[in-house]
Amino acid sequence: MCSSLKGQYEISEEIGRGRFGTIYRCYDVVSGNPYACKIIDKSLLTDETDQQCILNEPKLMSLLTPHPNILTIHNAFEDQHTLSLILDLCLPLTLLDRLTASTVTPFPNACHVITQLLQAVSHCHRSGIAHRDLKPDNILFDSRDVLKLADFGSAEWFGGDGGSLMTGVVGTPYYVAPEVLMGREYDEKVDVWSCGVILYMMLAGAPPFYGDSAVEIFESVLRANLRFPSRVFRNVSPAAKDLLRKMICKDPSRRISAEQALRHPWILSGGESETAELT
């Protein structure tokens, strides 16, 4: 462990474990404030892509903070063997855990979550960064139940308005946009697609595109046949369905942006809109 890290933070118990390292609770030795310390074992980064992702993550996160809905990186330490990141301390349960524990999310709660997520994504896009791996696993909450977007290992700098398009198949089967799977160049609206899928899952308790294997899920995503089964969506407002159609739109040129989604009537109504005029 880096000596300068030990001089500034007291490392406490393990609170999580990932592919490349371990997350500990830690405390600032001067202020006593609690944080999370993500210690990455660099010997596990055998693939060049993995190395690039891990090294890019703190750089991109530092460009995005502070923002109330993005996990803040407070410090970073590196030595020959490890990379250690000091991050906001969040609750142990992710949005995925919440979805697993409950079949559907009440409409106002779903709206509150997706609004915070869209605010984080909109800030990323204004800063010229696409997350590219939005999923419930990467959505955390702090002790005040404020959403914190995490895990920028697959994020990419595209340069903002008029910036460059991106390439590369990244993301997670249920949430990845079809243009990524097609091997085309794509823009930051891949994140809006993923947000739409997350909202659908909160309202329906199941993903819009599914299969028994990754290949079958990808085929379903590529068909992009968005359905609203009456058994599940009978109580979901037309405004919510309209927002989902505009976010989970196969044609990226017709898909709304994160900023536009934040101005949608269903979002502005707090998830209660049954009669809001749709635009």
Side-chain angles (χ1 to χ4, degrees):
M1 187 183 300
C2 183
S3 59
S4 55
L5 168 64
K6 290 191 291 184
Q8 295 185 47
Y9 297 91
E10 178 186 344
I11 306 300
S12 187
E13 75 273 16
E14 178 182 325
I15 56 175
R17 190 172 287 267
R19 182 179 169 196
F20 299 115
T22 307
I23 302 172
Y24 299 90
R25 186 188 304 270
C26 71
Y27 299 89
D28 185 297
V29 296
V30 175
S31 68
N33 291 335
Y35 297 98
C37 178
K38 182 178 181 180
I39 300 180
I40 298 161
D41 184 348
K42 291 164 72 173
S43 68
L44 299 176
L45 306 177
T46 55
D47 182 271
E48 184 177 342
T49 301
D50 291 337
Q51 293 175 7
Q52 195 64 41
C53 287
I54 292 300
L55 295 176
N56 274 348
E57 183 176 20
K59 296 175 184 177
L60 294 178
M61 288 183 71
S62 65
L63 293 174
L64 294 170
T65 55
H67 186 277
N69 299 121
I70 294 176
L71 196 70
T72 297
I73 179 168
H74 297 275
N75 219 329
F77 303 88
E78 186 174 9
D79 60 19
Q80 184 178 352
H81 305 291
T82 62
L83 173 64
S84 302
L85 307 178
I86 304 299
L87 307 164
D88 288 334
L89 181 64
C90 290
L91 298 174
L93 299 182
T94 66
L95 180 59
L96 179 63
D97 296 315
R98 295 187 179 194
L99 292 175
T100 302
S102 177
T103 52
V104 295
T105 307
F107 302 149
N109 293 7
C111 184
H112 183 59
V113 169
I114 202 65
T115 298
Q116 292 180 88
L117 179 58
L118 285 167
Q119 287 169 342
V121 170
S122 178
H123 178 70
C124 290
H125 294 175
R126 287 195 304 271
S127 302
I129 295 170
H131 188 283
R132 302 203 302 172
D133 193 21
L134 293 173
K135 56 185 177 181
D137 322 40
N138 293 337
I139 298 171
L140 311 178
F141 300 89
D142 69 12
S143 59
R144 298 170 298 150
D145 205 37
V146 175
L147 181 147
K148 299 287 184 178
L149 178 58
D151 197 348
F152 285 79
S154 297
E156 179 76 17
W157 166 262
F158 67 88
D161 290 340
S164 58
L165 295 174
M166 294 166 279
T167 58
V169 179
V170 295
T172 303
Y174 287 119
Y175 312 98
V176 66
E179 61 266 31
V180 176
L181 298 177
M182 292 175 188
R184 298 176 179 171
E185 293 184 323
Y186 52 83
D187 63 19
E188 71 277 9
K189 285 186 180 179
V190 295
D191 287 342
V192 178
W193 172 282
S194 303
C195 288
V197 172
I198 291 168
L199 176 58
Y200 187 106
M201 290 187 69
M202 287 193 286
L203 298 178
F209 312 112
Y210 51 86
D212 294 329
S213 66
V215 172
E216 289 185 7
I217 296 169
F218 289 152
E219 290 173 348
S220 180
V221 170
L222 286 168
R223 288 193 295 271
N225 186 12
L226 184 63
R227 294 174 174 155
F228 300 111
S230 57
R231 177 180 57 84
V232 177
F233 279 87
R234 62 181 178 274
N235 295 321
V236 177
S237 71
K241 294 175 189 174
D242 179 74
L243 175 59
L244 288 169
R245 289 190 189 96
K246 289 175 176 175
M247 296 175 74
I248 312 175
C249 176
K250 187 175 182 179
D251 182 354
S253 68
R254 295 176 55 237
R255 190 181 307 154
I256 61 175
S257 67
E259 282 283 354
Q260 289 171 326
L262 285 167
R263 297 194 296 268
H264 189 275
W266 188 77
I267 295 290
L268 296 177
S269 75
E272 297 286 359
S273 175
E274 293 291 337
T275 58
E277 182 179 349
L278 303 179
T279 56

